[in-house]
Amino acid sequence: MDHENMSFDQLCELFGYEPRRRPLDPREAAALLGVHPSTMEGYRLRGGGPRFFNPPRTRVVRYAEKDLLQWLAASARTSTSQALSA
């Protein structure tokens, strides 16, 4: 199944994720993805990472759980020589 067409519940099942059903801060997002929090900052600065939200005139950064799981699912490959689709 195409990851973009998967429901949130299907994505949670795919990754064995118990949803919090609220926006995640960068530390929580990093834990979900299995990366260091500074990696999340790098994604935001360079691009190429999951979509994030930053309300105007704040330093707050939040991630939607579904966006994180979709971004992770987009990295699915069947061999190391296969190019990423996203």
Side-chain angles (χ1 to χ4, degrees):
M1 176 181 278
D2 182 15
H3 72 276
E4 292 178 2
N5 294 322
M6 293 179 79
S7 71
F8 180 60
D9 290 332
Q10 289 171 319
L11 288 164
C12 289
E13 183 176 336
L14 177 65
F15 293 107
Y17 176 68
E18 185 65 36
R20 297 180 182 206
R21 303 210 182 267
R22 61 171 175 75
L24 303 181
D25 65 34
R27 180 184 47 79
E28 294 169 318
L32 188 157
L33 296 176
V35 301
H36 193 274
S38 65
T39 301
M40 300 305 293
E41 183 177 358
Y43 290 150
R44 289 192 306 274
L45 293 172
R46 290 185 304 276
R51 184 172 74 153
F52 65 95
F53 301 88
N54 179 229
R57 296 178 298 283
T58 73
R59 297 181 77 182
V60 171
V61 173
R62 294 292 181 261
Y63 295 87
E65 293 172 301
K66 186 173 182 181
D67 290 342
L68 294 167
L69 294 172
Q70 282 180 326
W71 185 79
L72 189 58
S75 68
R77 299 183 286 171
T78 57
S79 78
T80 57
S81 62
Q82 181 181 3
L84 291 175
S85 61

